[in-house]
Amino acid sequence: MGKKESLQKKIDFIDSQLRFFRNALLAILSALVWTIYAIMEHKAGKEIFILSGVGFVVMIYIYFKIKSLETEQLEFIDKLEKEE
């Protein structure tokens, strides 16, 4: 396998990871919306506050992970363009 194929394989792998993390971010965001609704309607106990705090921290981690993967993908795309 040549260098171009190797770079393309890495780009495809990062793309699949980006799709996964974007879907996970969307799921966590929708869960946080429901927890905010429960808090606003006074239907939430202290467990919901803790859960929403953990979800918020995970959401921030996933956001930075997505940004890191996008940067890495752009670097591989630049390397691939230089090879051509």
Side-chain angles (χ1 to χ4, degrees), residues 13-28 58-59 61-67 69:
F13 178 72
I14 291 172
D15 191 46
S16 68
Q17 284 184 324
L18 279 170
R19 271 186 264 126
F20 170 77
F21 282 115
R22 286 180 182 139
N23 289 336
L25 183 64
L26 181 63
I28 291 173
V58 170
M59 183 185 68
Y61 168 76
I62 289 176
Y63 174 78
F64 285 116
K65 182 70 174 175
I66 288 172
K67 290 300 177 188
L69 286 171

Side-chain angles (χ1 to χ4, degrees), residues 7-79:
L7 286 171
Q8 187 62 46
K9 190 174 181 180
K10 289 178 184 178
I11 290 169
D12 292 339
F13 178 72
I14 291 172
D15 191 46
S16 68
Q17 284 184 324
L18 279 170
R19 271 186 264 126
F20 170 77
F21 282 115
R22 286 180 182 139
N23 289 336
L25 183 64
L26 181 63
I28 291 173
L29 279 172
S30 63
L32 284 176
V33 167
W34 282 107
T35 56
I36 290 171
Y37 169 75
I39 291 169
M40 298 299 285
E41 292 294 318
H42 303 291
K43 296 179 181 178
K46 63 181 176 182
E47 301 86 22
I48 298 296
F49 287 110
I50 294 169
L51 183 63
S52 62
V54 170
F56 188 73
V57 170
V58 170
M59 183 185 68
I60 291 172
Y61 168 76
I62 289 176
Y63 174 78
F64 285 116
K65 182 70 174 175
I66 288 172
K67 290 300 177 188
S68 170
L69 286 171
E70 287 174 346
T71 303
E72 188 177 350
Q73 187 179 32
L74 287 175
E75 290 173 3
F76 283 125
I77 289 172
D78 288 342
K79 286 181 184 178

